[in-house]
């Protein structure tokens, strides 16, 4: 009976449990938690119904919700956009407000709101009260502002991802990261893109208190400081397997504590300011698979221990300074076990000098190899075909020579081949390319290669980027290009193409983003409307294209049609609303008509150059609508009217050329607001009034001031001497009067010689000179017509070195200021055609860089200063038509200037090279015999002779007084020779 009761009791208990389970299954999740989720959803904005499944009683069945299988408590809330998006419609992301109802989910351990868009809201501080969380992912969800330190309460947290890399404004942390040290269970920390610039220098101390941390991911955080070595980090080093501190501003030597991270698999210190040597002990990190140290300031030697990384498959030490004298030969390094697994190797721009053929074949598993911009020499070895896994090869800009081996055509997996910028010669034929079926990027530019491929050849690839710049490709346009339909980049500049393009060329690809046909002899017209969907860079300059300008695609960014025969109005280009157009070069064509007001719709325009055309009429007045304009060149046209006052609103304007037009009126006072001006060229117009005094105080960066050939009058304002950066001052051919200010000797930039290393490049020039292929994101190469050495010279690349003052053909009077002798870097000084009087100052001899000196047609008197003869760089001199007198100085430099015309009109001069002989009493002065610089030595010689004579006389007297016999012999000799 007892057994029966016990059995009955057991059945009742089991039945109750089953009944409860059935009830739980029918009810789904906990109702209080369901209500919390409903409230949470009400605060969200979900325009594309990503949470459409959140209906019904069973919240455990809702998308993104996971419940415990036994307790039915919600343990995971995964609303990551990529998990919710089902591929339909546009997939709008979740946004809105995150309300505290989530606190009701007391068993929640997994929370993921990543990749949504909470539109600039802050991370709710109440998340720090979800004490059960072990996983928290808020990455790239649109959160901004300060990271709440309450997150430090999540002591069970193992995974924390606050990646803010793709947020426009992003997250930041202030003060310190002490709250991090409380997360004692943390294994994964990602704060990519979080602004840590204001975090104190001991930020890593908080990180080092995390004993279980395995992944430390802090790229792009604006970090400045990292202790190179500290015992505090020793507790951390045993657990770390991945460190990413890339793309920061850390200025330190290599952090030695990393060498204790024996389990480290991934180390990324890329793009910082780490300096000094990479320690040989880095070879102790035997577990390393990825080592990225590129874009730092490391110096020699390249550690030999790199060869001991038997597990390493990715190595990037690019942009370092490993000189050939100190580094171990690459053949020795890659003979180690590192070659067995190496798949990606980047040694770009490391100043390596080695022979490529001595080690390249060792890397049997290599897939990506970048050795560009070094000093590698020798030939590309034929054994390169053994690298059968190679997909990307960069050998550009080295010193490789010889021919391109046909065996390179056996790299059937290769997609990118770059050998540009070497000294390769010979012929490239179908044999080099016939088997490269995967090839999509080929760059052979800037070699001496001849591309000899038959018209009927059908390549096995579809090219995306092709560059044959400066190779011999023409004279006919290659017919096999017609088979390629997916171009995004095509560079055929300076490739010997002659004649018209084939009709099918402009239909090759509607995805073209980069097209360069410059520096050929291509003729014909261009379709009225180009069909490219997007053309970021379009360069047709220096050809023989004619006809009207074409209409451009909507997203054009860089357009260069200069140096052609285009005619007609500017409207096809400047008349459209091109929202991306930034740089426009149309100079040296036959364009006519007026300047269209529609230019003011190009809101992002930065550079406009339409110089040397046939434009006429007045300029529009809407320049204030172009706030990004930094360079305007309208020189050498027939433009009229006044200079618009609205130009003064261009706060970023650096280059302003209106030279050689027909502008009238005064220089507008509004230009004083253009404080960034580097070049101001208003010469060759009909401007009136005085030179404004405010130029000297309002344009601190001005380096070129050209106002020549106008109708300006009045004195030269002394305020111009405040232009400390001025290197070219040209105010010739006006009606200016008064004296030359003594303060002109204070031009700081002209006091410095070019060989001092003082750089006077403008911002634009720096960009243009550093850009590859002359394409800078915003670059402008300055050019200027300079009168020097008796003729006009155009300076472009070397303009940065020109230092010139031209005050000629005005009405200046008074004497030449001796203070001009302080301008030791001045190369050309032209004061001709004025009313200057007095003598040529001796300080002229201090102009040690002077190459051209013109004082002709003045009223100068006296002798020619002998100091001129010491100007060893002088190659042009004109002193004609003055009142100079005396002997022409000699000296080796002046003897090379033996043209009599440079002294004509000075009736009192004599001596070579003139035929007028000097009187015998005429002082002989020359650089060799009468140079002022030799006077001290001559004086010392004179004094020495006098002193020597006196001592000799005294010695003789002493000798005679001491011996009667010697006196008798001496006077007997005197009597003998006087008989």
């Amino acid at each position: 009976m007892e057994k029966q009761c016990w059995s009955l009791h057991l059945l009742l208990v089991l039945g109750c449990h089953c009944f409860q389970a059935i009830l739980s299954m029918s009810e789904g999740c906990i109702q209080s938690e369901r209500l919390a989720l409903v409230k949470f959803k009400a605060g969200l904005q979900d325009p594309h119904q990503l949470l459409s499944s959140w209906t019904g009683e069973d919240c455990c069945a809702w998308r993104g919700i996971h419940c415990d299988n036994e307790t039915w408590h919600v343990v995971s809330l995964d609303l990551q956009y990529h998990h919710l998006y089902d591929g339909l419609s546009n997939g709008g992301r979740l946004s809105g407000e995150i309300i505290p109802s989530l606190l009701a989910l007391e068993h929640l351990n997994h929370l993921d709101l990543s990749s949504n868009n909470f539109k600039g809201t802050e991370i709710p501080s109440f998340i720090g009260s979800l004490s059960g969380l072990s996983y928290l992912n808020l990455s790239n969800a649109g959160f901004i502002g300060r990271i709440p330190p309450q997150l430090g309460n999540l002591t069970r947290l193992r995974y924390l991802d606050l990646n803010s890399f793709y947020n426009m404004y992003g997250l930041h942390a202030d003060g310190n990261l002490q709250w991090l040290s409380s997360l004692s269970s943390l294994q994964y920390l990602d704060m990519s893109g979080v602004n840590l610039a204001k975090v104190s220098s001991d930020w890593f101390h908080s990180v080092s208190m995390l004993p279980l941390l395995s992944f430390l991911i802090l790229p792009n955080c604006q970090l400045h400081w990292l202790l190179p070595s500290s015992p505090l980090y020793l507790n951390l080093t045993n657990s770390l397997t991945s460190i990413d501190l890339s793309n920061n501003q850390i200025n330190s030597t290599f952090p030695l504590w990393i060498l204790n991270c024996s389990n480290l698999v991934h180390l990324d210190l890329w793009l910082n300011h780490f300096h000094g040597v990479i320690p040989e002990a880095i070879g102790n990190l035997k577990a390393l698979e990825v080592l990225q140290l590129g874009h730092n300031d490391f110096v020699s030697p390249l550690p030999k221990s790199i060869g001991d990384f038997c597990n390493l498959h990715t190595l990037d030490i690019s942009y370092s300074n490993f000189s050939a004298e100190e580094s171990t030969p690459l053949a020795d390094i890659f003979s180690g076990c590192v070659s067995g697994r190496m798949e990606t190797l980047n040694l770009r721009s490391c100043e390596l000098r080695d022979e490529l053929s001595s080690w390249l074949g060792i890397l049997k598993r290599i897939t990506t190899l970048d050795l560009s911009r070094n000093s590698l020499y020798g030939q590309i070895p034929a054994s390169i075909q053994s690298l059968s896994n190679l997909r990307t090869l960069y050998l550009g800009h080295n010193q490789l020579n010889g021919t391109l081996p046909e065996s390179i055509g056996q790299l059937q997996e290769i997609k990118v081949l770059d050998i540009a910028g070497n000294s390769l010669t010979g012929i490239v034929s179908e044999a080099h390319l016939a088997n490269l079926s995967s090839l999509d990027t080929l760059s052979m530019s800037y070699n001496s290669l001849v591309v000899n491929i038959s018209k009927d050849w059908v390549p096995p690839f579809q090219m995306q980027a092709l560059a044959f710049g400066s190779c011999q490709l023409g004279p006919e346009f290659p017919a096999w290009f017609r088979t390629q339909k997916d171009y995004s980049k095509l560079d055929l500049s300076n490739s010997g193409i002659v004649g018209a393009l084939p009709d099918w060329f402009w239909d090759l690809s509607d995805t073209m983003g980069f097209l360069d046909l410059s520096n050929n002899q291509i003729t014909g017209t261009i379709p009225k409307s180009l069909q490219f969907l997007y053309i970021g860079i379009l360069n047709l300059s220096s050809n023989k294209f004619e006809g009207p300008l074409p209409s451009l695609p909507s997203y054009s960014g860089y357009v260069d049609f200069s140096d052609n025969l285009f005619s007609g109005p500017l409207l096809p280009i400047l008349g459209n609303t091109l929202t991306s157009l930034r740089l426009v070069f149309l100079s040296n064509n036959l364009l006519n008509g007026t300047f269209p007001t529609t230019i003011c719709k190009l809101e992002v325009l930065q550079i406009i150059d339409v110089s040397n055309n046939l434009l006429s009429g007045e300029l529009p007045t809407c320049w204030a609508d172009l706030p990004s304009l930094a360079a305007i060149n309208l020189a050498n046209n027939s433009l009229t009217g006044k200079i618009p006052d609205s130009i003064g609103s261009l706060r970023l304007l650096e280059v302003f050329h209106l030279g050689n037009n027909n502008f009238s009126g005064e220089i507008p006072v509004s230009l004083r607001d253009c404080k960034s001006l580097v070049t101001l060229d208003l010469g060759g117009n009909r401007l009136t009034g005085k030179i404004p005094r405010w130029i000297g105080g309002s344009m601190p960066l001005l380096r070129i001031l050209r106002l020549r050939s106008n109708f300006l009058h009045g004195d030269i304002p002394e305020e111009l001497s405040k232009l400390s950066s001025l290197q070219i001052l040209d105010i010739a051919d006006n009606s200016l009067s008064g004296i030359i200010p003594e303060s002109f000797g204070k031009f700081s930039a002209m006091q410095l010689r070019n060989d001092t290393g003082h750089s006077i490049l403008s911002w634009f020039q720096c960009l243009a000179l550093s850009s590859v292929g002359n394409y800078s994101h915003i670059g402008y190469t300055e050019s200027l017509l300079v009168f020097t050495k008796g003729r006009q010279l155009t300076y472009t690349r070397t303009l940065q070195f020109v230092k010139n003052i031209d005050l000629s053909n005005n009405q200046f009077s008074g004497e030449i200021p001796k203070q001009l002798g302080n301008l030791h870097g001045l190369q050309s000084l032209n004061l001709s055609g004025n009313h200057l009087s007095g003598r040529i100052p001796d300080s002229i001899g201090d102009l040690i860089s002077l190459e051209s000196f013109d004082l002709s047609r003045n009223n100068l008197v006296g002798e020619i200063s002998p100091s001129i003869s010491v100007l060893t760089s002088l190659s042009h001199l004109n002193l004609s038509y003055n009142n100079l007198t005396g002997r022409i100085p000699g000296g080796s430099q002046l003897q090379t200037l033996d043209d009599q015309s440079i002294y004509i009109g000075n009736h009192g001069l004599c001596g070579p090279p003139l035929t007028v002989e000097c009187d015998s009493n005429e002082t002989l002065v020359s650089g060799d015999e009468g140079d002022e610089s030799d006077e001290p030595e001559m004086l010392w010689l004179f004094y020495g002779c006098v002193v020597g004579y006196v001592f000799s006389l005294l010695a003789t007297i002493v000798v005679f007084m001491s011996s009667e016999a010697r006196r008798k012999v001496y006077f007997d000799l005197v009597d003998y020779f006087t008989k």
Side-chain angles (χ1 to χ4, degrees):
M1 182 70 181
E2 183 177 351
K3 288 183 179 180
Q4 291 177 344
C5 290
W6 174 249
S7 298
L8 180 62
H9 175 72
L10 181 61
L11 289 173
L12 289 172
V13 170
L14 290 174
C16 288
H17 280 294
C18 291
F19 181 71
Q20 288 178 354
I22 292 171
L23 286 176
S24 297
M25 290 178 65
S26 63
E27 293 176 357
C29 66
I30 308 300
Q31 286 302 305
S32 61
E33 295 182 353
R34 176 184 173 277
L35 291 176
L37 290 172
V38 171
K39 291 180 181 179
F40 170 72
K41 179 186 177 184
L44 299 178
Q45 296 178 13
D46 184 15
H48 292 273
Q49 301 298 309
L50 297 179
L51 303 182
S52 59
S53 65
W54 284 32
T55 59
E57 296 297 321
D58 186 7
C59 65
C60 294
W62 297 352
R63 176 176 291 185
I65 305 297
H66 182 71
C67 297
D68 185 270
N69 291 332
E70 295 182 358
T71 66
W72 301 102
H73 285 294
V74 174
V75 294
S76 174
L77 179 58
D78 186 352
L79 301 184
Q80 182 186 143
Y81 167 73
H82 299 294
H83 291 171
L84 297 176
Y85 176 50
D86 58 6
L88 301 176
S89 69
N90 292 322
R93 302 169 192 269
L94 296 176
S95 59
E97 181 184 1
I98 300 175
I99 61 177
S101 66
L102 289 181
L103 292 174
L105 307 179
E106 297 179 356
H107 298 270
L108 191 68
N109 61 55
H110 183 112
L111 176 59
D112 191 340
L113 302 176
S114 62
S115 300
N116 284 292
N117 184 12
F118 290 100
K119 295 183 178 179
T121 60
E122 295 187 353
I123 296 176
S125 59
F126 74 80
I127 291 180
S129 299
L130 297 172
S131 57
L133 283 182
S134 62
Y135 181 101
L136 177 59
N137 189 345
L138 304 178
S139 64
N140 296 307
F143 293 113
I144 67 167
R146 183 169 177 253
I147 297 174
Q150 289 85 349
L151 296 185
N153 298 328
L154 304 176
T155 56
R156 298 181 181 180
L157 203 62
R158 295 196 299 270
Y159 185 104
L160 176 59
D161 191 344
L162 301 177
N163 186 328
S164 185
F165 191 84
Y166 295 106
N167 286 2
M168 182 176 295
Y169 301 103
L171 299 169
H172 68 267
D174 298 334
N176 57 51
L177 296 179
Q178 188 173 357
W179 58 270
L180 265 179
S181 60
S182 302
L183 305 180
S184 56
S185 302
L186 199 64
Q187 300 175 14
Y188 183 100
L189 175 62
D190 186 347
M191 296 176 68
S192 305
V194 175
N195 188 339
L196 302 179
K198 295 183 179 180
V199 171
S200 60
S201 58
D202 63 347
W203 63 271
F204 201 76
H205 176 67
S206 299
V207 175
S208 67
M209 304 299 291
L210 307 176
L212 302 179
L213 191 66
S214 180
F215 291 84
L216 176 62
I217 306 173
L218 299 176
N220 195 36
C221 291
Q222 302 185 43
L223 291 169
H224 296 269
W225 183 256
L226 178 66
L227 287 176
S229 179
S230 174
L232 295 174
Y233 302 165
L234 295 179
N235 292 334
L236 176 68
T237 55
N238 291 328
S239 60
L240 279 173
T241 61
S242 180
I243 300 175
D244 186 350
L245 300 176
S246 62
N247 196 15
N248 280 290
Q249 302 172 33
I250 301 173
N251 190 344
S252 167
T253 56
F254 186 91
L256 297 180
W257 56 268
I258 288 181
L259 302 178
N260 296 317
C261 300
S262 56
N263 296 313
L264 198 62
V265 173
H266 184 115
L267 176 60
D268 190 349
L269 305 180
W270 186 82
L271 196 56
N272 277 283
H273 298 291
F274 288 104
H275 53 270
V277 299
I278 301 172
E280 279 288 341
I282 197 172
N284 296 334
L285 303 178
K286 302 297 185 181
L288 265 185
E289 297 179 8
V290 176
L291 177 59
Q292 293 179 294
L293 305 179
H295 287 266
N296 279 287
D297 303 316
F298 292 118
V299 295
S300 294
L302 182 64
K304 183 178 180 181
S305 60
I306 289 176
D308 299 329
F309 287 130
C310 298
N311 296 308
L312 197 69
H313 60 75
T314 298
L315 174 62
D316 181 350
I317 321 182
S318 57
Y319 296 94
S320 296
N321 184 3
F322 302 129
S323 65
E325 291 76 13
E326 299 183 47
S327 292
T328 304
L330 296 176
D332 292 348
I333 293 177
F334 292 111
S335 62
C337 65
V338 70
S339 63
R341 288 198 60 191
M342 183 66 66
E343 296 177 2
T344 299
L345 175 61
N346 189 349
L347 297 177
R348 174 188 289 250
S349 194
C350 286
E351 300 192 19
L352 298 172
R353 181 169 178 80
D354 205 340
E355 189 170 10
L356 189 63
S357 60
S358 64
W359 60 276
L360 185 60
I362 300 175
L363 305 175
K364 298 296 185 182
R365 297 184 62 177
I366 197 75
T367 60
T368 300
L369 179 61
D370 190 344
L371 302 174
S372 58
R373 299 189 180 279
N374 283 289
S375 297
L376 301 175
Y377 58 90
Q379 298 186 359
I380 299 175
S383 59
I384 195 172
Q385 64 180 344
S386 64
L387 306 180
S388 57
N389 296 316
L390 196 60
R391 290 177 174 83
T392 303
L393 176 61
Y394 293 99
L395 297 177
H397 303 281
N398 278 285
Q399 299 173 13
L400 301 174
N401 55 29
T403 60
L404 185 66
E406 289 189 1
S407 60
I408 206 166
Q410 302 305 314
L411 301 175
Q412 298 183 14
E413 300 296 323
I414 199 163
K415 295 174 64 69
V416 178
L417 175 59
D418 182 359
I419 56 173
N422 282 285
S423 299
L424 299 172
T425 58
I427 295 176
V428 176
S429 65
E430 293 99 321
H432 293 89
L433 307 174
N435 296 319
L436 306 183
S437 56
S438 300
L439 192 66
D440 63 26
T441 300
L442 175 63
S443 179
M444 296 186 173
S445 299
Y446 310 111
N447 283 287
S448 297
L449 296 169
V450 177
V451 181
N452 186 7
I453 295 177
S454 66
K455 296 180 180 180
D456 301 329
W457 184 59
V458 178
F461 46 73
Q462 279 295 315
M463 199 69 68
Q464 294 182 9
L466 181 59
F468 281 132
S470 297
C471 294
Q472 184 59 41
L473 192 65
E476 295 182 2
F477 192 86
W480 61 273
F481 279 22
R482 190 172 189 175
T483 64
Q484 307 296 296
K485 298 296 184 182
D486 297 319
Y487 282 124
S488 61
K489 176 181 178 180
L490 183 60
D491 180 1
L492 304 181
S493 60
N494 192 31
S495 57
I497 299 175
V498 179
L501 295 174
D503 295 337
W504 46 261
F505 173 78
W506 298 106
D507 297 324
L508 272 181
S509 173
D510 58 5
T511 60
M512 187 80 73
F514 179 110
L515 175 61
D516 189 348
L517 301 178
S518 63
N519 293 287
N520 285 290
Q521 299 183 49
I522 303 174
T523 60
T525 60
I526 296 177
K528 291 182 179 180
S529 180
L530 298 178
Q531 300 302 313
F532 305 126
L533 297 177
Y534 171 84
I535 184 77
I537 294 176
L538 177 58
N539 190 350
L540 307 181
S541 64
S542 300
N543 278 286
K544 297 180 180 180
F545 286 110
E546 58 187 2
L549 295 171
S551 295
L552 297 178
S554 299
Y555 297 101
S556 300
Y558 175 114
V559 177
D560 190 347
F561 290 171
S562 59
D563 296 289
N564 277 285
L565 301 172
F566 288 110
S567 58
L570 296 172
L571 278 172
I573 290 181
L574 301 185
N576 294 326
T577 304
L578 302 176
T579 57
S580 301
L581 192 60
R582 297 177 182 271
L583 292 86
V584 178
F585 300 93
L586 301 173
S587 61
N588 296 296
N589 279 287
L590 302 174
L591 300 171
N592 53 35
T594 58
F595 209 87
T597 58
T598 49
I599 186 177
C600 299
K601 296 181 180 179
L602 308 179
E603 297 179 354
V604 298
L605 190 65
Q606 294 171 328
I607 296 174
I608 175 72
D609 185 349
V610 292
S611 59
N612 298 290
N613 278 286
L614 306 174
L615 301 175
S616 59
E618 298 185 1
L619 292 180
T621 59
C622 54
W623 296 94
D625 297 332
L626 302 173
S628 299
L629 258 181
I632 301 174
N633 193 343
L634 311 180
N636 300 304
N637 282 283
S638 299
L639 298 168
T640 58
K642 294 184 178 181
I643 301 173
D645 289 333
S646 58
I647 296 290
S649 63
L650 303 177
R651 300 295 191 269
L652 301 180
L653 190 64
E654 284 201 19
V655 178
F656 189 34
H657 285 284
L658 295 184
N660 301 328
N661 281 283
N662 293 309
F663 290 106
S664 58
E666 296 187 356
I667 299 174
V669 68
S670 63
L671 285 182
R672 70 188 307 169
D673 295 326
C674 298
K675 299 184 183 301
S676 298
L677 270 178
V678 174
T679 297
L680 177 58
D681 175 14
L682 306 178
N685 283 287
R686 305 177 64 83
L687 299 176
T688 56
K690 296 182 177 182
I691 298 177
R693 297 183 180 276
W694 47 259
I695 290 180
S698 300
M699 299 179 179
L701 305 178
L702 198 65
R703 291 169 180 169
I704 297 174
L705 177 58
R706 183 178 182 269
L707 303 176
R708 72 177 297 128
S709 301
N710 279 288
F711 297 109
L712 301 174
H713 64 271
D715 297 342
I716 305 178
E718 287 205 22
E719 286 81 357
L720 292 186
S721 62
K722 298 179 181 178
L723 298 173
S724 58
S725 299
L726 196 68
Q727 65 186 55
I728 295 178
L729 174 60
D730 187 351
I731 55 177
D733 295 314
N734 281 285
S735 299
L736 301 168
S737 57
I739 63 171
I740 300 173
E742 294 179 355
S743 59
F744 273 24
K746 297 181 180 180
F747 289 127
S748 302
M750 299 186 196
Q751 292 177 351
L752 299 172
R753 299 181 64 184
N754 287 332
D755 56 7
T756 63
H758 176 70
S759 175
I760 55 175
L761 280 172
S762 74
W763 175 52
F764 287 121
Q765 289 169 317
C766 287
L767 286 170
L769 289 173
S770 64
S771 60
V772 179
N774 213 14
Y775 299 114
S776 168
H777 180 63
I778 172 171
Y780 182 75
T781 303
E782 182 65 285
S783 179
L784 190 72
L785 186 67
V786 177
F787 287 79
T788 183
K789 301 181 182 180
R791 61 188 188 276
Q792 300 182 40
L793 299 175
T794 300
Y795 290 89
T796 303
R797 291 289 186 182
T798 59
L799 182 61
Q800 56 169 313
F801 303 113
V802 178
K803 299 178 182 180
N804 180 15
I805 292 180
D806 192 345
L807 311 182
S808 63
N809 298 318
N810 280 287
Q811 301 173 24
F812 295 121
S813 57
E815 296 187 353
I816 300 173
K818 63 180 180 181
Q819 289 80 3
L820 294 182
N822 296 328
L823 307 179
H824 305 305
L826 191 65
Q827 298 163 329
S828 178
L829 177 59
N830 191 346
L831 306 179
S832 65
N834 283 288
H835 305 299
L836 300 175
S837 58
R839 304 172 68 91
I840 301 174
D842 292 338
S843 62
I844 293 298
D846 295 330
L847 300 178
I848 51 180
S849 300
L850 202 62
E851 301 173 7
S852 178
F853 187 31
D854 193 341
L855 298 179
S856 63
R857 295 177 290 114
N858 278 288
N859 300 316
L860 300 173
V861 298
E863 296 179 345
I864 299 174
S865 173
S867 64
I868 295 179
S869 61
V870 302
L871 301 177
T872 55
S873 298
L874 195 64
S875 60
H876 177 82
L877 175 66
N878 193 347
L879 303 178
S880 63
Y881 298 104
N882 280 283
N883 298 311
L884 301 173
T885 59
R887 183 186 295 270
I888 296 173
S892 57
Q893 189 63 30
L894 285 183
Q895 288 175 2
T896 64
L897 306 175
D898 57 357
D899 185 358
Q900 296 186 29
S901 65
I902 66 178
Y903 303 108
I904 194 172
N906 292 282
H907 301 296
L909 290 178
C910 63
L914 300 179
T915 59
V916 179
E917 295 184 1
C918 298
D919 296 337
S920 58
N921 59 354
E922 197 78 58
T923 304
L924 177 64
V925 184
S926 72
D928 296 329
E929 301 177 33
D931 194 339
E932 289 180 354
S933 62
D934 291 335
E935 286 183 7
E937 288 79 5
M938 295 298 295
L939 287 174
W940 280 109
L941 180 60
F942 174 77
Y943 293 148
C945 292
V946 172
V947 172
Y949 175 80
V950 172
F951 274 103
S952 299
L953 180 60
L954 289 174
T956 303
I957 293 174
V958 170
V959 171
F960 288 167
M961 293 295 291
S962 62
S963 174
E964 182 178 354
R966 289 172 180 166
R967 290 197 300 274
K968 183 177 186 303
V969 171
Y970 174 79
F971 288 114
D972 287 342
L973 288 172
V974 171
D975 289 339
Y976 177 82
F977 286 110
T978 56
K979 286 182 180 180

